[in-house]
Amino acid sequence: YTLTDKDGDVVTATATIAVGSNGNPAIVITDNNGAAAGNISVNEAGLATGSLNDGSHIATGTMQVTASNGLASIDFGTVNVTAAQLAAATVGAPVVIATPDGTINITSFTGGIINYSYTLTAAQTGPNAASTSVLDSITVTVNDNGGLTAGTTFTANIIDDVPTAGDDNISTTLNTVITGSLALNDKV
């Protein structure tokens, strides 16, 4: 800026204004699994093709978002969801994000709390025959209006649907052919 006095003398100075942040954003995904891996667990057996077929391939949870500079958006993997999209999410019109093995459906965002459901979409193959679960993970990054970010990882623990074999007892007489299936009481 420039100052000029009554007799015309001029002096120049620089004013530096620092705009501070109100703090870093944060996101915390509620851990519904305790000591088990991941934030939530779903059962492969709950799929329509699973041994239970009871809907246990779906689980719900919450995420707590803080963004004191104002929330701009949240990245779920490569999918950017704006604050307006989050605010408009409902059970009837969720924001749907594909993960490697399922979908996250954001059903509401109120007071910094995201309510979501995770749905396993297909049977899984573990890394080896001894696997009892598979992990489905996606990065989650909060972007605030001040250009600051914070990230975490969402992980669903997919519990393997192990095959079950029931004992079969078949009686016959010598030289009599038996027909039928041994698989009627088995689940694969």
Side-chain angles (χ1 to χ4, degrees):
Y1 64 93
T2 304
L3 290 176
T4 305
D5 66 10
K6 289 185 180 183
D7 67 358
D9 295 328
V10 177
V11 65
T12 303
T14 301
T16 303
I17 300 171
V19 178
S21 168
N22 290 327
N24 292 324
I27 185 163
V28 176
I29 302 172
T30 303
D31 182 3
N32 293 338
N33 277 354
N39 306 103
I40 58 167
S41 288
V42 293
N43 287 305
E44 184 182 39
L47 291 164
T49 57
S51 62
L52 296 175
N53 185 18
D54 64 355
S56 60
H57 65 293
I58 301 171
T60 61
T62 60
M63 301 178 193
Q64 171 85 38
V65 178
T66 54
S68 47
N69 295 317
L71 178 64
S73 64
I74 301 178
D75 297 327
F76 293 87
T78 59
V79 177
N80 180 266
V81 179
T82 66
Q85 290 171 308
L86 287 168
T90 64
V91 172
V95 175
V96 180
I97 297 117
T99 66
D101 300 315
T103 58
I104 297 172
N105 293 312
I106 297 173
T107 56
S108 70
F109 177 61
T110 306
I113 303 292
I114 295 173
N115 288 291
Y116 71 91
S117 66
Y118 171 84
T119 303
L120 175 65
T121 54
Q124 302 298 300
T125 303
N128 58 56
S131 297
T132 58
S133 66
V134 174
L135 299 177
D136 184 11
S137 298
I138 189 170
T139 59
V140 181
T141 306
V142 175
N143 306 294
D144 76 7
N145 289 329
L148 300 173
T149 63
T152 190
T153 301
F154 167 82
T155 303
N157 182 25
I158 303 167
I159 301 166
D160 188 26
D161 186 8
V162 296
T164 56
D167 292 337
D168 297 293
N169 294 309
I170 301 170
S171 298
T172 187
T173 58
L174 188 61
N175 296 323
T176 302
V177 176
I178 297 176
T179 61
S181 173
L182 297 176
L184 294 177
N185 61 345
D186 301 332
K187 298 260 186 191
V188 180

